[in-house]
Amino acid sequence: MGQGAYIFGCEGLTLSPLEAQFFRDANPWGFILFSRNVDTKEQLRRLTYDLREAVGWHAPILIDQEGGRVQRMRGPIWREFEPPLDDSLSKPDPKRAMWLRGRLIADDLLSVGIDVNCAPTLDVASDLTHPFLRNRCYGTDPVTVADLGRAMVDGMAAGGVAALMKHIPGHGRGTADSHKNLPRVSASKTELEIDFAPFKALNDLSMGMSAHIVMEAIDPERPATQSRACIDVIRNEIGFGGLLMTDDLSMQALKGNVFERGHKAIEAGCDIVLHCNGDLIEMQSVAALGNMSDIAQRRADYAATARPPAPSSRTQAIDIKALEAEFQSL
């Protein structure tokens, strides 16, 4: 059976027999975890193991571990970090700080079987950026965002964790929270080049997440996630050739039921859809989207092979405590 054109979550701390059977039949390309799925290290290792056992292969397991408000794994068990923008503005060497941040986050994630982090957030912040997003950004100009984003990617890769950049082609001009409403941007195509620039600089990454936002200069009717014109910009102007997945289908920026939302995204050119809330009935509906297209499967295969290998005993040992101390000293 081919891989499904979707990534799913699960409801709780353990995988129920019903969920395991559904995942075995649906064969999602990967899984995503949230705070509701996180308790202890032993529990989380068991959950990631059981998810992969359900599908019978080493499926990617994703999480949002950005720092600040968006970090699903919390202290005292795991390291906690300030919002990215705070570190960007306060550290004397922000690029080194961001590399260290990525490496330390990877250490936490890989130890419990998580191999993809939904970061960096490459949206360019401004005074108008909605508070749900602003301090999750890396800077207020595209060069800083790209430089610090690359440092974060490299730090995570050194620890065996792959990056998923978001929210392509750019969410920084959004003045609404796309979890609740659909943001609209009236900036000209020329002005939007600022938003595109960090994604262009990191267009070699293997995975990207779309933005639930209307860019009127490109498509005044549809959010980028469901806009063929916006995805054409992502592919041809930004030059991103990797696996393009949607932001969460459960967010209220999108209209219709979850199947309709996902179908419109796939029709527009997204390779895969992301469904996060763990609702089994909704996931069964999304699974009706079927398997990935041949093109999407090739991108998915590339994303899988591009995931950095886990650090092993054959690689040079890393003194994690020393890296922690260096990060704190910054």
Side-chain angles (χ1 to χ4, degrees):
M1 177 182 178
Q3 291 167 358
Y6 31 75
I7 294 170
F8 288 144
C10 60
E11 186 176 22
L13 299 174
T14 60
L15 192 63
S16 73
L18 195 60
E19 287 174 323
Q21 184 59 56
F22 168 68
F23 292 147
R24 188 171 298 114
D25 294 339
N27 196 25
W29 182 77
F31 300 97
I32 187 164
L33 301 180
F34 283 81
S35 300
R36 67 178 184 270
N37 308 121
V38 175
D39 185 17
T40 67
K41 287 186 178 181
E42 182 179 356
Q43 168 268 324
L44 198 47
R45 286 191 197 102
R46 169 54 59 181
L47 179 58
T48 57
Y49 175 85
D50 287 345
L51 287 168
R52 290 179 170 124
E53 278 290 293
V55 293
W57 65 290
H58 193 83
I61 296 182
L62 293 66
I63 201 166
D64 294 281
Q65 194 73 355
E66 300 175 6
R69 289 172 292 110
V70 183
Q71 45 191 334
R72 314 305 184 190
M73 297 158 60
R74 294 277 184 174
I77 298 176
W78 292 283
R79 302 173 180 93
E80 293 201 25
F81 296 86
E82 294 299 313
L85 188 60
D86 292 4
D87 270 355
S88 168
L89 297 175
S90 66
K91 302 295 187 188
D93 186 350
K95 192 179 294 188
R96 178 61 179 171
M98 204 58 70
W99 187 94
L100 291 166
R101 179 190 187 104
R103 182 63 183 86
L104 294 171
I105 287 174
D107 185 62
D108 279 338
L109 300 190
L110 203 66
S111 69
V112 290
I114 299 168
D115 56 1
V116 180
N117 191 16
C118 300
T121 303
L122 297 183
D123 309 303
V124 180
S126 75
D127 292 340
L128 298 177
T129 305
H130 192 280
F132 101 91
L133 178 65
R134 189 176 191 279
N135 68 359
R136 297 165 57 195
C137 302
Y138 287 49
T140 57
D141 69 89
V143 174
T144 298
V145 172
D147 286 349
L148 298 188
R150 178 67 72 180
M152 178 72 169
V153 168
D154 290 346
M156 291 192 297
V161 169
L164 168 58
M165 64 178 179
K166 57 190 185 187
H167 306 85
I168 189 170
H171 208 303
R173 295 179 189 269
T175 58
D177 181 351
S178 53
H179 294 86
K180 302 174 182 178
N181 299 288
L182 177 60
R184 301 187 69 89
V185 171
S186 59
S188 69
K189 185 74 179 300
T190 300
E191 291 171 317
L192 290 174
E193 290 295 332
I194 293 172
D195 302 80
F196 301 162
F199 297 101
K200 285 184 180 179
L202 277 76
N203 65 11
D204 59 307
L205 296 189
S206 63
M207 289 176 278
M209 179 186 291
S210 70
H212 295 340
I213 191 169
V214 172
M215 293 181 165
E216 294 177 349
I218 303 171
D219 186 337
E221 303 297 329
R222 288 164 286 272
T225 296
Q226 298 174 333
S227 167
R228 192 177 295 273
C230 283
I231 292 176
D232 182 68
V233 168
I234 290 169
R235 293 303 189 193
N236 297 314
E237 295 187 35
I238 291 174
F240 175 62
L243 184 72
L244 180 63
M245 65 187 69
T246 70
D247 204 344
D248 183 14
L249 292 183
S250 304
M251 294 164 66
Q252 296 311 304
L254 304 180
K255 295 180 180 179
N257 60 45
V258 290
F259 174 82
E260 292 166 342
R261 296 174 185 188
H263 180 70
K264 289 178 181 177
I266 296 294
E267 284 283 293
C270 286
D271 296 314
I272 197 167
V273 301
L274 181 65
H275 182 275
C276 296
N277 66 22
D279 184 298
L280 185 58
I281 300 300
E282 287 192 1
M283 290 191 291
Q284 289 170 336
S285 174
V286 172
L289 291 170
N291 295 337
M292 285 181 279
S293 70
D294 290 343
I295 293 174
Q297 185 66 61
R298 287 197 292 273
R299 292 186 181 122
D301 292 343
Y302 162 66
T305 58
R307 298 210 306 277
S312 72
S313 59
R314 294 189 298 274
T315 61
Q316 184 177 359
I318 294 292
D319 187 340
I320 290 293
K321 292 297 182 183
L323 296 183
E324 285 183 322
E326 182 185 355
F327 182 76
Q328 293 303 321
S329 75
L330 291 174

